[in-house]
Amino acid sequence: MPPIPSTLSQKSGGTAQTALRILIVEDDVIIAMLLEATLADMGHTVCAIEGTETGAVDAAARHRTDLLIVDAGLSEGTGISAVDRILCDGFVPHIFVSGADLDPEKLNPRAVRVRKPYDERDLSAAIEQAFSTPVTI
């Protein structure tokens, strides 16, 4: 995983949170744009937005992101399969967002799940959880 950029102060709650380079995998353009704006307000950088499994895998290889925020259901492929393919090159913290319940048995044990609709507080807590989940070797 690449080094994480400088620390910024998070707007909601005032706690320090590291600025991250984030790949958004979301096939709904409006949701992707709103998420991008929210993450920018939180001090993070969105390095790419992809709406398909193949696009997500390619973007992850190109951008070497710190975090993935992934919609489980995509118009082409699935977010779950995209993450499985991305993790073949090494672990990247990731958050699945979905309007439906996700079966934890189908996800990487370190995956963080957030149910739509969510707000900035939910997103901030999920990001913290994604980076605090213990590594098992």
Side-chain angles (χ1 to χ4, degrees):
M1 184 164 63
I4 298 175
S6 62
T7 301
L8 295 176
S9 179
Q10 177 184 322
K11 280 187 176 182
S12 62
T15 60
Q17 190 174 72
T18 303
L20 301 169
R21 291 177 33 84
I22 300 172
L23 169 61
I24 296 173
V25 183
E26 171 63 66
D27 61 349
D28 184 311
V29 176
I30 304 247
I31 292 173
M33 290 171 56
L34 290 170
L35 178 55
E36 179 181 31
T38 300
L39 291 167
D41 286 347
M42 294 170 71
H44 302 299
T45 300
V46 173
C47 52
I49 298 173
E50 293 294 336
T52 66
E53 180 179 331
T54 301
V57 173
D58 291 345
R62 267 192 327 275
H63 296 287
R64 305 310 252 172
T65 60
D66 300 314
L67 177 68
L68 309 170
I69 299 180
V70 184
D71 183 11
L74 302 173
S75 58
E76 180 217 299
T78 71
I80 295 170
S81 294
V83 169
D84 287 345
R85 291 173 57 193
I86 292 165
L87 296 185
C88 287
D89 290 333
F91 186 77
V92 179
H94 52 284
I95 300 167
F96 283 107
V97 292
S98 179
D101 287 329
L102 296 174
D103 182 356
E105 291 182 17
K106 294 182 179 180
L107 307 177
N108 180 288
R110 293 179 59 196
V112 175
R113 295 174 288 154
V114 174
R115 182 101 190 233
K116 291 178 183 177
Y118 54 87
D119 60 20
E120 185 176 328
R121 250 178 324 194
D122 299 328
L123 196 54
S124 181
I127 292 169
E128 275 192 41
Q129 184 181 353
F131 283 93
S132 66
T133 305
V135 178
T136 54
I137 299 175

